[in-house]
Amino acid sequence: MTEETRRFIRRTTSSLLENIGVLLIVVFLFLPIFWIFLTAFKPPQEVFTLSVIFEPTLDNFRTVFGSAYNFGNYYMNSTIVVAVTLLITIPVSIMAAYSISRFQLPGKNLFMFAILATQFIPLIVNVIPFFVMFRNWGILDTTLALIIVNLGHTIPYAIWLIKGFIDNIPKDMEEAGMIDGAGRLRVIWHILLPMAKPGIITATVFCFVITWNEFMFALILTNQEAVTLPVALSYFVGQDGVIWNEMAAAGMVYVLPTIIFMLIVRKQFVLGMSSGGLK
Amino acid sequence: MNNKYFKYIILAPAVILIGLTTLFPLIRSLWISLHEWDLTKSIEIGEFVGLGNFIYAFSDENFWNSVMVTLIFTVCTVFVTITLGIAVGLLLSKEKRHLSFLRAVLIIPFALSPALVGYSWRFMLNPDYGLFDKLIGFFIPPLADMVWLGTPQTALAALISVAVWIWLPFMSLMFISGLMGMPKEVFEAAKIDGANSFQTLFRITIPMLQPIILIAAILMTMFALKQFDPIVTLTQGGPGNSTEVLNFMIYNTSFRYFEMGYGAALGYILAMITIGFVLIYMRKLVKGDEWS
């Protein structure tokens, strides 16, 4: 065997091994998603088989949104919780991030560290006093309760993410604007915000994902009226086991918005998360 | 507007909201942890017991079981996720068209709800009709009749796999962006010097990845210690209490048995464990010496 053929064999084996590796990753990560996707379209008699060829049906989706489950209600609850949480979180965090990034403030490093440190303490510890308070105030099982608890979770993350982006915008841009006679608010609105847009979008999507998928608070603080989508999934667990095809259909409509959002901001998201961890 | 007050005015809403939604409950919770409080008996906070709840934990068998489960779960999850994450990073960071597509969709599993993921895996691990159960049985026949969620060891292994499944895409993306940002000259130089792929990997690539590995380890440890959704949806802490991690034990203690004081105390113990882990990593990060 010549040196050339030996090298050829080595190169082919290593590229073969690489391709097998990539294939294994794809199977491990995407087969479960594919399987749930298929199950969502399966008629009941096919659910407990491994068949991939069947006549797809939309019945499961109809049942999910029908009167038996009323998934539309939970969709509404989730939407309200996420929308209000974001509407409060994002402006509040932008203002705070701007203030911390641009001004001398006593103890601002301590503040940034403290809001990060609160994330070390398991969130369930926060929920214990809230549960008691909400019970006393009679607001258990309302979307308001979920919004309040979510805010403590989203604002620290959003401040960290947005501050990182504002730090990278040169101060000169704003100063130039102010020399031209524009007020600070106008400068922020017309110069800073457009430049910080990628950071703001990243923070919005990130906060969207954590509140949209938030499970623990919803499990503890709601039981009927204000139940959100992730908790509502458990309603497909009946006495005779789980109705998998309907749960899969519910799961598909539930995750669709997140997938779309995440694909939009994929790049900034990874950057934001890893640089946020760095500081 | 006066600059002097402007910076405080725009900071105030965040400070007030964080104070009310995070700081206040944390302090309140610390106060509760120093009391005996059974919510089924009284809605008023009970007797002050000082560190009683914390001391009680050390004689509580369930607590020690939980600590063990938590440590096994966390160490395995962090180790497997990061090792696989680096491997995936190496495989997917090449400049090829189909790989760049794969990189783009890699975030999808991470975006899914962990609760849904837990249920989906329960479906696929079912011994009668589960896809994974059948696949494993096909490739490794001795494991064909395994009831994955039925025995303590396999249930914990299943839970670790699910946690890895959830976090692997995100960790891989971190490593991919790290690997793709590395200067190509170093690798070319190594090639010219005749280094084989193993030498390149362990002498060049991994040392250069070290800061990212540390950040990944910190994030991953924090996430693993707080894992909740897959446990509720996949194993419910069972069989027995073999998958009852501390976070889940706190939930059970506080919201199934309504022992608020003890639950809060356990929460602070978990916080201390988390901080302990992070301090170990921080020392590595500050020293910046060799990762071994």
Side-chain angles (χ1 to χ4, degrees):
Chain A
M1 216 172 352
T2 63
E3 178 65 22
E4 202 123 302
T5 41
R6 209 174 292 148
R7 207 179 297 153
F8 175 77
I9 290 170
R10 204 189 306 147
R11 211 181 305 138
T12 348
T13 15
S14 83
S15 97
L16 189 71
L17 283 177
E18 264 178 39
N19 285 327
I20 292 174
V22 172
L23 192 70
L24 282 177
I25 298 167
V26 173
V27 169
F28 179 62
L29 290 180
F30 290 96
L31 192 60
I33 300 175
F34 174 70
W35 200 244
I36 289 298
F37 176 78
L38 271 191
T39 309
F41 294 95
K42 278 188 175 182
Q45 66 273 17
E46 297 278 0
V47 177
F48 301 110
T49 65
L50 296 186
S51 64
V52 274
I53 300 149
F54 54 89
E55 209 169 305
T57 164
L58 289 175
D59 282 354
N60 301 324
F61 292 90
R62 274 184 215 115
T63 321
V64 163
F65 282 99
S67 55
Y69 292 114
N70 247 323
F71 218 61
N73 266 349
Y74 310 126
Y75 226 91
M76 202 58 209
N77 286 338
S78 273
T79 311
I80 292 171
V81 171
V82 172
V84 178
T85 307
L86 288 180
L87 274 175
I88 300 174
T89 301
I90 299 304
V92 162
S93 306
I94 293 175
M95 292 193 292
Y98 181 78
S99 173
I100 293 165
S101 177
R102 289 296 192 251
F103 296 104
Q104 290 293 329
L105 290 162
K108 71 175 175 186
N109 288 333
L110 182 71
F111 175 72
M112 287 304 280
F113 175 75
I115 60 174
L116 191 66
T118 57
Q119 303 302 314
F120 288 130
I121 296 169
L123 290 166
I124 194 161
V125 173
N126 280 355
V127 183
I128 292 172
F130 270 130
F131 179 82
V132 180
M133 269 189 290
F134 291 162
R135 215 172 91 136
N136 294 345
W137 299 344
I139 60 163
L140 272 184
D141 203 14
T142 61
T143 45
L144 177 66
L146 289 180
I147 293 164
I148 294 173
V149 185
N150 271 324
L151 284 175
H153 189 23
T154 52
I155 293 176
Y157 277 117
I159 292 180
W160 267 98
L161 273 170
I162 297 172
K163 180 186 170 282
F165 278 84
I166 295 183
D167 281 345
N168 286 333
I169 300 171
K171 264 186 178 174
D172 315 358
M173 304 288 292
E174 289 160 66
E175 277 157 14
M178 288 205 284
I179 288 166
D180 292 345
R184 186 175 279 281
L185 288 179
R186 273 192 61 176
V187 171
I188 293 178
W189 189 258
H190 289 290
I191 299 176
L192 188 100
L193 282 189
M195 290 185 75
K197 213 165 130 195
I200 295 167
I201 292 175
T202 311
T204 311
V205 174
F206 181 64
C207 292
F208 171 89
V209 173
I210 51 179
T211 36
W212 186 253
N213 287 345
E214 202 293 310
F215 177 71
M216 189 175 67
F217 303 155
L219 185 69
I220 294 169
L221 299 174
T222 69
N223 60 42
Q224 201 179 348
E225 292 302 318
V227 168
T228 54
L229 290 169
V231 176
L233 287 178
S234 70
Y235 293 173
F236 298 95
V237 185
Q239 278 181 334
D240 317 317
V242 188
I243 311 155
W244 291 111
N245 49 336
E246 290 170 7
M247 183 192 277
M252 283 297 124
V253 265
Y254 163 36
V255 299
L256 202 64
T258 339
I259 293 180
I260 296 168
F261 277 129
M262 279 308 244
L263 285 178
I264 295 172
V265 292
R266 190 181 63 89
K267 278 196 179 131
Q268 292 98 317
F269 172 74
V270 179
L271 268 179
M273 279 294 276
S274 41
S275 66
L278 236 177
K279 286 164 197 163
Chain B
M1 193 184 287
N2 192 334
N3 255 349
K4 201 176 153 198
Y5 296 110
F6 179 70
K7 57 185 180 185
Y8 293 110
I9 292 168
I10 59 173
L11 185 61
V15 172
I16 292 168
L17 280 174
I18 291 176
L20 289 178
T21 58
T22 309
L23 206 61
F24 169 69
L26 281 180
I27 294 166
R28 178 99 185 113
S29 185
L30 190 63
W31 182 240
I32 292 173
S33 77
L34 303 175
H35 291 75
E36 181 87 61
W37 189 3
D38 184 343
L39 199 63
T40 54
K41 293 206 185 99
S42 158
I43 61 157
E44 293 297 320
I45 194 163
E47 189 193 339
F48 182 86
V49 290
L51 292 177
N53 285 320
F54 291 86
I55 294 162
Y56 173 71
F58 290 97
S59 62
D60 181 358
E61 244 173 69
N62 287 328
F63 168 75
W64 287 113
N65 168 68
S66 257
V67 170
M68 271 316 284
V69 174
T70 306
L71 288 182
I72 297 172
F73 173 77
T74 305
V75 171
C76 292
T77 307
V78 174
F79 181 78
V80 176
T81 314
I82 289 187
T83 316
L84 283 182
I86 295 172
V88 175
L90 290 168
L91 282 170
L92 298 192
S93 57
K94 302 218 166 61
E95 302 281 354
K96 282 182 192 159
R97 276 215 21 229
H98 68 286
L99 292 186
S100 106
F101 172 75
L102 204 53
R103 286 197 295 269
V105 295
L106 200 58
I107 198 78
I108 291 177
F110 180 69
L112 300 189
S113 139
L116 177 65
V117 172
Y119 280 127
S120 308
W121 276 78
R122 207 164 109 190
F123 178 45
M124 283 179 298
L125 287 170
N126 187 294
D128 295 325
Y129 49 79
L131 175 68
F132 264 91
D133 196 73
K134 291 281 176 289
L135 280 179
I136 292 164
F138 180 78
F139 287 107
I140 315 167
L143 295 180
D145 296 322
M146 193 61 108
V147 184
W148 289 98
L149 299 174
T151 70
Q153 292 82 6
T154 52
L156 190 56
L159 198 62
I160 292 167
S161 314
V162 172
V164 170
W165 191 90
I166 292 171
W167 290 101
L168 183 61
F170 174 61
M171 290 293 145
S172 304
L173 283 169
M174 276 179 73
F175 291 121
I176 289 171
S177 57
L179 285 164
M180 293 184 83
M182 282 181 182
K184 296 217 166 37
E185 298 79 24
V186 188
F187 295 98
E188 278 156 20
K191 210 173 186 180
I192 292 164
D193 290 344
N196 65 33
S197 16
F198 274 100
Q199 286 168 327
T200 319
L201 178 63
F202 287 104
R203 297 272 169 82
I204 299 171
T205 316
I206 295 204
M208 280 170 77
L209 269 184
Q210 200 185 296
I212 299 180
I213 297 176
L214 269 169
I215 292 159
I218 294 177
L219 288 175
M220 201 51 232
T221 307
M222 281 175 58
F223 296 140
L225 287 169
K226 285 202 260 187
Q227 203 67 265
F228 182 78
D229 318 13
I231 297 156
V232 176
T233 52
L234 190 72
T235 67
Q236 289 276 348
N241 54 7
S242 58
T243 55
E244 192 183 73
V245 296
L246 255 179
N247 203 27
F248 189 66
M249 186 188 174
I250 299 168
Y251 166 77
N252 273 340
T253 309
S254 309
F255 298 104
R256 194 182 279 170
Y257 308 120
F258 289 105
E259 290 182 27
M260 298 313 214
Y262 190 38
L266 290 174
Y268 277 91
I269 295 175
L270 178 55
M272 283 180 251
I273 296 176
T274 316
I275 292 167
F277 267 109
V278 172
L279 285 179
I280 297 171
Y281 294 126
M282 284 297 183
R283 274 187 65 180
K284 282 257 178 213
L285 197 64
V286 172
K287 273 201 298 191
D289 58 10
E290 255 173 59
W291 178 260
S292 50

